[in-house]
Coordinates of all heavy atoms in Angstrom, one line a residue:
M119 N 110.4 114.9 54.9 CA 110.9 114.3 56.1 C 112.4 114.3 56.2 O 113.0 113.9 55.2 CB 110.3 112.9 56.3 CG 110.6 112.2 57.6 SD 109.9 110.6 57.7 CE 108.2 110.8 57.5
S120 N 112.9 114.7 57.3 CA 114.4 114.7 57.4 C 115.0 113.3 57.5 O 114.3 112.3 57.9 CB 114.8 115.5 58.7 OG 114.5 114.8 59.8
V121 N 116.3 113.2 57.2 CA 117.0 112.0 57.2 C 117.0 111.3 58.6 O 116.8 110.1 58.8 CB 118.4 112.1 56.7 CG1 119.2 110.8 56.8 CG2 118.4 112.6 55.2
S122 N 117.2 112.2 59.6 CA 117.3 111.7 61.0 C 115.9 111.1 61.4 O 115.9 110.1 62.2 CB 117.8 112.7 62.0 OG 116.9 113.8 62.0
M123 N 114.8 111.8 61.0 CA 113.5 111.3 61.4 C 113.2 109.9 60.7 O 112.7 109.0 61.3 CB 112.4 112.3 61.0 CG 112.3 113.4 61.9 SD 111.0 114.5 61.5 CE 109.6 113.6 62.1
R124 N 113.7 109.8 59.4 CA 113.5 108.5 58.7 C 114.3 107.4 59.4 O 113.8 106.3 59.6 CB 113.9 108.6 57.3 CG 112.7 109.1 56.4 CD 113.1 109.0 54.9 NE 113.3 110.4 54.6 CZ 114.4 110.9 53.9 NH1 115.2 110.0 53.4 NH2 114.5 112.1 53.6
R125 N 115.5 107.7 59.8 CA 116.4 106.7 60.5 C 115.7 106.3 61.8 O 115.7 105.1 62.1 CB 117.7 107.3 60.8 CG 118.6 107.3 59.6 CD 120.0 107.7 60.0 NE 120.7 108.0 58.8 CZ 121.7 108.9 58.7 NH1 121.9 109.7 59.6 NH2 122.3 109.0 57.6
T126 N 115.1 107.2 62.5 CA 114.5 107.0 63.8 C 113.3 106.0 63.6 O 113.0 105.1 64.3 CB 114.0 108.2 64.5 OG1 115.2 109.1 64.7 CG2 113.3 107.9 65.8
M127 N 112.5 106.3 62.5 CA 111.3 105.5 62.2 C 111.7 104.1 61.8 O 110.9 103.1 61.9 CB 110.5 106.2 61.1 CG 109.9 107.5 61.7 SD 109.1 108.4 60.3 CE 107.8 107.2 59.9
E128 N 112.9 103.9 61.2 CA 113.4 102.6 60.7 C 113.9 101.7 61.8 O 114.0 100.5 61.6 CB 114.4 102.8 59.6 CG 113.8 103.5 58.3 CD 114.9 103.9 57.4 OE1 116.1 103.6 57.6 OE2 114.6 104.5 56.4
I129 N 114.3 102.3 62.9 CA 114.9 101.5 64.0 C 113.8 100.6 64.6 O 112.9 101.2 65.2 CB 115.7 102.4 65.0 CG1 116.8 103.2 64.4 CG2 116.2 101.6 66.2 CD1 117.4 104.2 65.3
P130 N 114.0 99.4 64.6 CA 112.9 98.5 65.2 C 113.1 98.6 66.7 O 114.1 98.6 67.3 CB 113.3 97.1 64.7 CG 114.7 97.2 64.3 CD 115.1 98.6 63.9
R131 N 111.9 98.6 67.3 CA 111.8 98.6 68.8 C 112.0 97.1 69.3 O 111.4 96.2 68.7 CB 110.5 99.1 69.3 CG 110.3 100.5 69.3 CD 109.2 100.8 70.2 NE 109.5 102.1 70.7 CZ 108.8 102.7 71.6 NH1 107.9 102.1 72.2 NH2 109.2 103.8 72.1
P132 N 112.8 96.9 70.3 CA 112.9 95.6 70.9 C 111.5 95.1 71.4 O 110.8 95.9 72.1 CB 113.9 95.7 72.0 CG 114.0 97.1 72.3 CD 113.5 97.9 71.1
E133 N 111.1 93.9 71.0 CA 109.9 93.4 71.5 C 110.0 92.8 72.9 O 111.1 92.3 73.2 CB 109.4 92.3 70.5 CG 108.9 92.9 69.2 CD 107.8 93.8 69.2 OE1 106.8 93.5 70.0 OE2 107.8 94.8 68.5
S134 N 109.0 93.0 73.7 CA 109.0 92.4 75.0 C 108.8 90.9 74.9 O 107.9 90.5 74.1 CB 108.0 93.0 75.9 OG 108.3 94.4 76.2
T135 N 109.6 90.2 75.5 CA 109.5 88.8 75.5 C 109.2 88.3 77.0 O 110.1 87.7 77.6 CB 110.7 88.0 75.0 OG1 111.8 88.5 75.7 CG2 110.9 88.4 73.5
E136 N 108.1 88.7 77.5 CA 107.7 88.4 78.9 C 107.9 87.0 79.2 O 107.5 86.2 78.5 CB 106.3 88.9 79.2 CG 106.0 88.8 80.7 CD 104.6 89.4 81.0 OE1 104.2 90.4 80.4 OE2 103.9 88.7 81.8
Q137 N 108.6 86.7 80.3 CA 108.9 85.3 80.7 C 107.6 84.8 81.4 O 107.0 85.4 82.3 CB 110.0 85.3 81.8 CG 111.3 85.9 81.3 CD 111.8 85.0 80.2 OE1 111.8 83.8 80.2 NE2 112.4 85.7 79.2
P138 N 107.1 83.6 80.9 CA 105.9 83.0 81.4 C 106.2 82.5 82.8 O 107.2 82.0 83.1 CB 105.5 81.9 80.5 CG 106.8 81.6 79.8 CD 107.6 82.9 79.7
G139 N 105.2 82.7 83.7 CA 105.2 82.2 85.0 C 106.0 83.0 86.0 O 106.1 82.6 87.2
V140 N 106.5 84.2 85.7 CA 107.2 85.1 86.6 C 106.2 85.7 87.5 O 105.3 86.3 87.0 CB 108.1 86.0 85.9 CG1 108.7 87.0 86.9 CG2 109.1 85.4 85.0
T141 N 106.3 85.6 88.8 CA 105.4 86.2 89.7 C 106.1 87.3 90.6 O 107.4 87.3 90.6 CB 104.8 85.2 90.6 OG1 105.8 84.7 91.5 CG2 104.2 84.1 89.9
P142 N 105.4 88.1 91.3 CA 106.1 89.1 92.1 C 107.1 88.4 93.2 O 108.0 89.1 93.5 CB 104.9 89.7 92.8 CG 103.8 89.7 91.9 CD 104.0 88.4 91.2
A143 N 106.8 87.2 93.5 CA 107.7 86.5 94.4 C 109.1 86.2 93.9 O 110.1 86.0 94.5 CB 107.1 85.2 94.9
D144 N 109.2 86.3 92.5 CA 110.4 86.1 91.8 C 111.3 87.3 91.8 O 112.5 87.2 91.4 CB 110.2 85.6 90.4 CG 109.5 84.3 90.3 OD1 109.8 83.4 91.1 OD2 108.5 84.1 89.5
L145 N 110.8 88.5 92.2 CA 111.6 89.7 92.2 C 112.1 89.9 93.7 O 111.6 89.4 94.6 CB 110.7 90.9 91.9 CG 110.0 90.9 90.5 CD1 109.2 92.1 90.4 CD2 111.0 90.7 89.4
S146 N 113.2 90.7 93.7 CA 113.7 91.0 95.1 C 112.7 92.0 95.7 O 111.9 92.5 95.1 CB 115.1 91.6 95.0 OG 115.0 93.0 94.5
A147 N 112.8 92.2 97.0 CA 111.9 93.0 97.7 C 112.0 94.4 97.1 O 111.0 95.2 96.9 CB 112.2 93.1 99.2
R148 N 113.2 94.9 96.8 CA 113.4 96.3 96.3 C 112.9 96.4 94.9 O 112.3 97.4 94.6 CB 114.9 96.7 96.4 CG 115.1 98.1 96.0 CD 114.5 99.1 96.9 NE 115.4 99.4 98.0 CZ 115.0 100.2 99.0 NH1 113.8 100.8 99.1 NH2 115.9 100.5 100.0
E149 N 113.1 95.4 94.1 CA 112.6 95.4 92.7 C 111.1 95.5 92.7 O 110.5 96.2 92.0 CB 113.0 94.1 91.9 CG 114.5 94.1 91.6 CD 115.0 92.7 91.1 OE1 114.2 91.8 91.2 OE2 116.1 92.7 90.6
L150 N 110.5 94.6 93.6 CA 109.0 94.7 93.7 C 108.5 96.0 94.1 O 107.5 96.5 93.6 CB 108.5 93.5 94.6 CG 107.0 93.4 94.8 CD1 106.3 93.2 93.5 CD2 106.8 92.3 95.8
E151 N 109.2 96.6 95.1 CA 108.8 97.9 95.6 C 108.8 98.9 94.5 O 107.9 99.8 94.4 CB 109.7 98.3 96.8 CG 109.3 99.6 97.5 CD 110.2 99.9 98.7 OE1 111.4 99.3 98.7 OE2 109.8 100.6 99.5
I152 N 109.8 98.9 93.7 CA 110.0 99.9 92.7 C 109.0 99.7 91.5 O 108.4 100.6 91.0 CB 111.5 99.9 92.2 CG1 112.3 100.6 93.3 CG2 111.6 100.7 90.8 CD1 113.8 100.5 93.0
I153 N 108.8 98.4 91.1 CA 107.8 98.1 90.1 C 106.4 98.5 90.6 O 105.6 99.0 89.8 CB 107.8 96.6 89.7 CG1 109.2 96.2 89.0 CG2 106.7 96.2 88.9 CD1 109.4 96.9 87.7
T154 N 106.1 98.3 91.9 CA 104.8 98.7 92.4 C 104.7 100.2 92.3 O 103.6 100.7 91.9 CB 104.7 98.2 93.9 OG1 104.8 96.8 93.9 CG2 103.4 98.7 94.5
R155 N 105.7 101.0 92.6 CA 105.7 102.4 92.4 C 105.5 102.8 91.0 O 104.8 103.8 90.7 CB 107.0 103.0 93.1 CG 107.2 102.8 94.5 CD 106.3 103.5 95.4 NE 106.4 105.0 95.2 CZ 107.1 105.7 96.0 NH1 107.8 105.2 97.0 NH2 107.2 107.0 95.8
I156 N 106.1 102.1 90.1 CA 105.9 102.4 88.6 C 104.5 102.2 88.3 O 103.9 103.0 87.5 CB 106.9 101.5 87.8 CG1 108.3 102.0 87.9 CG2 106.4 101.5 86.3 CD1 109.4 101.1 87.3
C157 N 103.9 101.2 88.8 CA 102.5 100.8 88.5 C 101.6 101.9 89.0 O 100.5 102.1 88.5 CB 102.1 99.5 89.1 SG 102.9 98.1 88.2
R158 N 102.0 102.7 90.1 CA 101.2 103.8 90.6 C 101.4 105.0 89.8 O 100.8 106.1 90.1 CB 101.5 104.0 92.1 CG 101.2 103.0 93.0 CD 101.5 103.4 94.3 NE 101.4 102.2 95.3 CZ 102.3 102.0 96.2 NH1 103.3 102.8 96.5 NH2 102.1 100.9 96.9
G159 N 102.4 105.1 88.9 CA 102.6 106.2 88.1 C 103.7 107.1 88.6 O 103.9 108.2 88.1
D160 N 104.5 106.7 89.6 CA 105.5 107.5 90.1 C 106.7 107.5 89.1 O 107.1 106.5 88.5 CB 106.1 106.9 91.4 CG 105.0 107.0 92.6 OD1 104.0 107.6 92.4 OD2 105.3 106.4 93.6
A161 N 107.4 108.7 89.1 CA 108.5 108.9 88.2 C 109.8 108.4 89.0 O 109.8 108.3 90.2 CB 108.7 110.3 87.9
N162 N 110.8 108.1 88.2 CA 112.0 107.6 88.8 C 112.6 108.5 89.9 O 113.1 108.1 90.9 CB 113.1 107.3 87.7 CG 112.8 106.2 86.8 OD1 111.7 105.5 87.0 ND2 113.6 106.0 85.8
L163 N 112.6 109.8 89.6 CA 113.1 110.8 90.6 C 112.3 110.8 91.9 O 112.8 110.9 93.0 CB 113.1 112.2 90.0 CG 114.3 112.5 89.0 CD1 114.1 113.8 88.3 CD2 115.6 112.4 89.7
E164 N 111.0 110.6 91.8 CA 110.1 110.6 92.9 C 110.4 109.3 93.7 O 110.5 109.4 95.0 CB 108.6 110.6 92.5 CG 107.6 110.6 93.6 CD 106.2 110.7 93.1 OE1 105.9 110.7 91.9 OE2 105.4 110.8 94.0
I165 N 110.6 108.2 93.0 CA 110.9 106.9 93.7 C 112.2 107.1 94.4 O 112.3 106.6 95.6 CB 110.9 105.8 92.6 CG1 109.5 105.5 92.0 CG2 111.4 104.5 93.3 CD1 109.6 104.6 90.8
A166 N 113.2 107.6 93.7 CA 114.5 107.8 94.4 C 114.4 108.6 95.6 O 115.0 108.3 96.7 CB 115.5 108.4 93.3
A167 N 113.7 109.8 95.5 CA 113.7 110.6 96.7 C 112.9 109.9 97.9 O 113.4 110.1 99.0 CB 112.9 111.9 96.3
D168 N 111.8 109.3 97.6 CA 111.0 108.7 98.6 C 111.7 107.5 99.3 O 111.5 107.3 100.5 CB 109.7 108.2 98.0 CG 108.7 109.3 97.7 OD1 109.0 110.4 98.1 OD2 107.7 109.0 97.0
L169 N 112.6 106.8 98.5 CA 113.3 105.6 99.1 C 114.7 105.9 99.5 O 115.4 105.0 99.9 CB 113.2 104.5 98.1 CG 111.9 104.0 97.6 CD1 112.0 102.9 96.6 CD2 111.0 103.5 98.8
Y170 N 115.1 107.2 99.4 CA 116.4 107.6 99.8 C 117.5 106.8 99.0 O 118.5 106.4 99.5 CB 116.7 107.5 101.3 CG 115.7 108.3 102.1 CD1 114.6 107.7 102.7 CD2 115.8 109.6 102.2 CE1 113.7 108.4 103.5 CE2 114.9 110.4 102.9 CZ 113.9 109.8 103.6 OH 112.9 110.5 104.3
L171 N 117.3 106.7 97.7 CA 118.2 106.1 96.8 C 118.7 107.1 95.7 O 118.0 108.0 95.5 CB 117.5 104.9 96.0 CG 117.0 103.8 97.0 CD1 116.1 102.8 96.1 CD2 118.1 103.0 97.7
S172 N 119.8 106.8 95.1 CA 120.2 107.6 94.0 C 119.3 107.2 92.8 O 118.8 106.1 92.7 CB 121.6 107.4 93.6 OG 121.8 106.2 93.0
I173 N 119.2 108.1 91.8 CA 118.5 107.8 90.6 C 119.1 106.7 89.9 O 118.4 105.8 89.3 CB 118.4 109.1 89.7 CG1 117.4 108.8 88.5 CG2 119.7 109.5 89.2 CD1 116.0 108.6 88.9
N174 N 120.4 106.5 89.9 CA 121.1 105.4 89.2 C 120.7 104.1 89.9 O 120.6 103.0 89.2 CB 122.6 105.6 89.1 CG 122.9 106.7 88.1 OD1 122.1 106.9 87.2 ND2 123.9 107.5 88.3
T175 N 120.6 104.1 91.2 CA 120.2 102.8 91.9 C 118.8 102.4 91.5 O 118.6 101.2 91.2 CB 120.3 103.0 93.4 OG1 121.7 103.3 93.7 CG2 119.9 101.8 94.2
V176 N 117.9 103.4 91.4 CA 116.5 103.1 91.0 C 116.5 102.5 89.6 O 115.9 101.5 89.3 CB 115.7 104.3 91.1 CG1 114.3 104.1 90.4 CG2 115.5 104.8 92.5
K177 N 117.3 103.1 88.7 CA 117.3 102.6 87.3 C 118.0 101.2 87.2 O 117.5 100.4 86.4 CB 118.2 103.6 86.4 CG 117.5 104.9 86.2 CD 118.4 105.8 85.3 CE 117.7 107.2 85.1 NZ 118.6 108.0 84.3
S178 N 118.9 101.0 88.1 CA 119.5 99.6 88.1 C 118.5 98.6 88.6 O 118.4 97.5 88.0 CB 120.7 99.7 89.1 OG 121.3 98.3 89.2
H179 N 117.7 98.9 89.6 CA 116.7 98.0 90.0 C 115.6 97.8 89.0 O 115.1 96.6 88.8 CB 116.0 98.5 91.4 CG 116.9 98.3 92.6 ND1 117.3 97.1 93.0 CD2 117.3 99.3 93.5 CE1 118.0 97.3 94.1 NE2 118.1 98.6 94.4
I180 N 115.3 98.8 88.3 CA 114.3 98.7 87.2 C 114.8 97.8 86.1 O 114.1 96.9 85.6 CB 113.9 100.1 86.6 CG1 113.2 100.9 87.6 CG2 113.2 100.0 85.3 CD1 113.0 102.4 87.3
R181 N 116.1 98.0 85.7 CA 116.6 97.1 84.7 C 116.7 95.7 85.1 O 116.3 94.8 84.3 CB 118.1 97.6 84.3 CG 118.1 98.7 83.3 CD 119.6 98.9 82.8 NE 120.6 99.1 83.9 CZ 120.8 100.2 84.5 NH1 120.2 101.3 84.2 NH2 121.8 100.3 85.4
S182 N 117.0 95.5 86.3 CA 117.1 94.1 86.8 C 115.7 93.5 86.9 O 115.5 92.3 86.5 CB 117.7 94.1 88.3 OG 117.7 92.8 88.8
A183 N 114.7 94.2 87.3 CA 113.3 93.7 87.3 C 112.8 93.4 86.0 O 112.2 92.4 85.7 CB 112.4 94.7 88.1
Y184 N 113.1 94.4 85.0 CA 112.6 94.2 83.6 C 113.3 92.9 83.0 O 112.6 92.1 82.3 CB 113.1 95.4 82.8 CG 112.2 96.6 82.9 CD1 111.3 96.8 83.9 CD2 112.3 97.7 82.0 CE1 110.5 97.9 84.1 CE2 111.6 98.8 82.1 CZ 110.7 98.9 83.1 OH 109.9 100.1 83.2
R185 N 114.6 92.7 83.3 CA 115.2 91.5 82.8 C 114.6 90.2 83.4 O 114.4 89.3 82.6 CB 116.7 91.6 83.2 CG 117.6 90.6 82.5 CD 119.1 90.9 82.7 NE 119.5 91.5 83.9 CZ 119.9 92.9 84.0 NH1 119.9 93.6 82.9 NH2 120.2 93.4 85.1
R186 N 114.3 90.2 84.7 CA 113.7 89.0 85.2 C 112.3 88.7 84.6 O 111.9 87.6 84.4 CB 113.5 89.2 86.7 CG 114.8 89.1 87.5 CD 114.5 89.2 89.0 NE 115.7 89.5 89.7 CZ 116.1 88.8 90.7 NH1 115.5 87.7 91.1 NH2 117.2 89.1 91.4
I187 N 111.5 89.8 84.4 CA 110.2 89.7 83.9 C 110.2 89.4 82.4 O 109.3 88.7 81.9 CB 109.4 91.0 84.2 CG1 109.2 91.2 85.7 CG2 108.0 90.9 83.6 CD1 108.7 92.6 86.1
G188 N 111.3 89.9 81.7 CA 111.4 89.8 80.3 C 110.7 90.9 79.5 O 110.1 90.6 78.5
I189 N 110.8 92.1 80.0 CA 110.1 93.2 79.4 C 111.2 94.3 79.1 O 112.3 94.2 79.6 CB 108.9 93.8 80.2 CG1 109.4 94.2 81.6 CG2 107.8 92.8 80.4 CD1 108.4 94.9 82.4
T190 N 110.8 95.2 78.3 CA 111.7 96.3 77.9 C 111.1 97.7 78.2 O 111.9 98.7 78.1 CB 112.2 96.2 76.5 OG1 111.0 96.2 75.6 CG2 112.9 94.9 76.3
R191 N 109.9 97.8 78.4 CA 109.2 99.1 78.4 C 108.4 99.3 79.8 O 107.9 98.3 80.3 CB 108.3 99.4 77.3 CG 109.1 99.4 75.9 CD 108.2 99.6 74.8 NE 107.4 98.3 74.6 CZ 106.5 98.2 73.8 NH1 106.2 99.1 72.9 NH2 105.7 97.1 73.7
R192 N 108.3 100.5 80.2 CA 107.5 100.9 81.4 C 106.1 100.4 81.3 O 105.5 100.0 82.2 CB 107.7 102.4 81.6 CG 107.4 102.8 83.1 CD 107.8 104.3 83.2 NE 107.8 104.7 84.6 CZ 108.8 104.8 85.4 NH1 110.0 104.4 84.9 NH2 108.7 105.2 86.6
V193 N 105.5 100.6 80.1 CA 104.1 100.3 79.9 C 103.9 98.8 80.1 O 102.9 98.3 80.6 CB 103.5 100.8 78.5 CG1 104.2 100.1 77.4 CG2 102.0 100.6 78.5
D194 N 104.9 98.0 79.7 CA 104.8 96.6 79.9 C 104.9 96.2 81.4 O 104.3 95.3 81.8 CB 106.0 95.9 79.1 CG 105.8 96.0 77.6 OD1 104.7 96.0 77.1 OD2 106.8 96.0 76.9
A195 N 105.7 97.0 82.1 CA 105.8 96.7 83.6 C 104.4 97.0 84.2 O 104.0 96.3 85.1 CB 106.9 97.7 84.2
V196 N 103.7 98.0 83.8 CA 102.4 98.4 84.4 C 101.4 97.3 84.0 O 100.7 96.9 84.8 CB 101.9 99.7 83.9 CG1 100.5 100.0 84.3 CG2 102.9 100.8 84.4
R197 N 101.5 96.8 82.8 CA 100.6 95.7 82.4 C 100.9 94.4 83.2 O 99.9 93.8 83.7 CB 100.8 95.4 80.9 CG 100.2 96.4 79.9 CD 100.3 96.0 78.5 NE 99.9 97.0 77.6 CZ 100.6 97.5 76.6 NH1 101.8 97.0 76.4 NH2 100.1 98.5 75.9
W198 N 102.1 94.1 83.4 CA 102.5 93.0 84.1 C 102.0 93.2 85.6 O 101.5 92.2 86.3 CB 104.0 92.8 84.2 CG 104.6 91.6 85.0 CD1 104.7 90.3 84.5 CD2 105.0 91.6 86.3 NE1 105.2 89.5 85.5 CE2 105.4 90.3 86.6 CE3 105.1 92.6 87.3 CZ2 105.8 89.9 87.8 CZ3 105.6 92.2 88.5 CH2 106.0 90.8 88.8
G199 N 102.2 94.4 86.1 CA 101.8 94.7 87.5 C 100.3 94.6 87.7 O 99.7 94.1 88.7
A200 N 99.5 95.0 86.6 CA 98.1 94.9 86.7 C 97.6 93.5 86.8 O 96.7 93.1 87.5 CB 97.5 95.6 85.5
R201 N 98.3 92.6 86.0 CA 98.0 91.2 86.0 C 98.3 90.5 87.3 O 97.7 89.5 87.7 CB 98.7 90.4 84.9 CG 98.1 90.7 83.5 CD 98.6 89.7 82.5 NE 100.0 89.7 82.3 CZ 100.7 90.5 81.5 NH1 100.0 91.5 80.9 NH2 102.0 90.4 81.4
H202 N 99.2 91.1 88.1 CA 99.7 90.5 89.3 C 99.2 91.3 90.6 O 99.8 91.1 91.7 CB 101.2 90.4 89.4 CG 101.7 89.3 88.4 ND1 102.0 89.6 87.1 CD2 101.8 88.0 88.5 CE1 102.3 88.5 86.5 NE2 102.2 87.5 87.3
G203 N 98.2 92.2 90.4 CA 97.6 92.9 91.5 C 98.4 94.0 92.1 O 98.1 94.5 93.2
L204 N 99.4 94.6 91.3 CA 100.1 95.7 91.9 C 99.6 97.1 91.6 O 99.9 98.0 92.2 CB 101.6 95.6 91.3 CG 102.4 94.3 91.5 CD1 103.8 94.4 90.9 CD2 102.4 94.0 93.0
V205 N 98.7 97.1 90.5 CA 98.1 98.4 90.2 C 97.0 98.6 91.2 O 96.2 97.8 91.5 CB 97.6 98.4 88.7 CG1 96.8 99.6 88.5 CG2 98.7 98.2 87.8
G206 N 97.0 99.8 91.8 CA 96.0 100.2 92.8 C 96.3 99.8 94.2 O 95.5 99.9 95.1
A207 N 97.6 99.2 94.3 CA 98.0 98.8 95.7 C 98.2 100.1 96.5 O 98.7 101.1 96.0 CB 99.3 98.1 95.6
P208 N 97.8 100.1 97.8 CA 97.8 101.3 98.6 C 99.3 101.6 98.9 O 100.2 100.8 99.0 CB 97.1 100.9 99.9 CG 97.2 99.4 99.9 CD 97.2 98.9 98.5
R209 N 99.5 103.0 99.0 CA 100.8 103.5 99.4 C 101.1 103.2 100.8 O 100.2 103.1 101.7 CB 101.0 104.9 99.1 CG 100.9 105.4 97.7 CD 101.0 106.9 97.6 NE 100.8 107.2 96.2 CZ 101.7 107.4 95.4 NH1 102.9 107.2 95.7 NH2 101.5 107.8 94.1
E210 N 102.4 102.9 101.1 CA 102.7 102.7 102.6 C 102.4 103.8 103.5 O 102.1 103.6 104.6 CB 104.2 102.4 102.7 CG 104.7 101.1 102.1 CD 106.2 100.8 102.1 OE1 106.8 101.4 102.9 OE2 106.6 100.0 101.3
S211 N 102.5 105.0 103.0 CA 102.2 106.2 103.9 C 100.7 106.5 103.9 O 100.2 107.5 104.5 CB 102.9 107.4 103.3 OG 102.5 107.7 102.0
D212 N 99.8 105.7 103.2 CA 98.5 105.9 103.2 C 97.8 105.7 104.6 O 97.9 104.7 105.2 CB 97.7 104.9 102.2 CG 96.3 105.2 102.0 OD1 95.7 105.9 102.7 OD2 95.8 104.7 100.9
P213 N 97.2 106.8 105.1 CA 96.7 106.7 106.5 C 95.6 105.8 106.7 O 95.2 105.3 107.7 CB 96.2 108.1 106.8 CG 96.1 108.8 105.5 CD 97.0 108.1 104.5
S214 N 94.9 105.3 105.5 CA 93.7 104.4 105.7 C 94.2 102.9 105.9 O 93.4 102.1 105.9 CB 92.9 104.5 104.4 OG 93.6 104.0 103.3
L215 N 95.5 102.7 105.9 CA 96.0 101.3 106.1 C 95.8 100.8 107.5 O 96.0 101.3 108.5 CB 97.5 101.2 105.8 CG 97.8 101.4 104.3 CD1 99.3 101.3 104.1 CD2 97.2 100.3 103.5

């Protein structure tokens, strides 16, 4: 195993320390919209294009939402969204609405 691979394996991942009691109402409208899109599986570039935002603005909203929720990873955002009914939410452009 190479030295760089061993170093990578030794770096501890930051643990998510989800804040208890945080609900979707605690996020800004834009943060909630972006977290909902993450829960649907949308990529950052897709979210940016659909919302007419720069990729950096999307990343900034994601960081802010993660900080409020107390998470560090996308998978944690999806888990949080599933617990709060964001997974499976219909898209705004869905004609069945």
Side-chain angles (χ1 to χ4, degrees):
M119 185 180 300
S120 73
V121 173
S122 63
M123 285 186 73
R124 272 187 258 134
R125 283 187 190 142
T126 303
M127 292 174 62
E128 294 170 2
I129 298 172
R131 281 195 149 194
E133 291 297 319
S134 289
T135 55
E136 187 176 321
Q137 300 297 319
V140 176
T141 67
D144 297 318
L145 302 179
S146 72
R148 188 61 92 180
E149 289 167 349
L150 181 58
E151 183 174 24
I152 290 173
I153 292 294
T154 300
R155 299 288 300 264
I156 287 172
C157 290
R158 291 186 195 140
D160 292 352
N162 291 357
L163 284 172
E164 184 178 4
I165 295 168
D168 290 351
L169 300 179
Y170 301 101
L171 300 172
S172 76
I173 186 67
N174 289 329
T175 300
V176 170
K177 289 178 182 180
S178 179
H179 286 300
I180 291 170
R181 278 191 307 274
S182 177
Y184 282 12
R185 194 171 25 257
R186 286 181 197 237
I187 297 168
I189 59 175
T190 57
R191 297 177 293 179
R192 203 171 186 96
V193 67
D194 295 327
V196 174
R197 286 183 186 130
W198 183 87
R201 284 195 303 277
H202 292 90
L204 303 180
V205 175
R209 295 181 184 265
E210 289 179 20
S211 60
D212 190 341
S214 65
L215 292 178

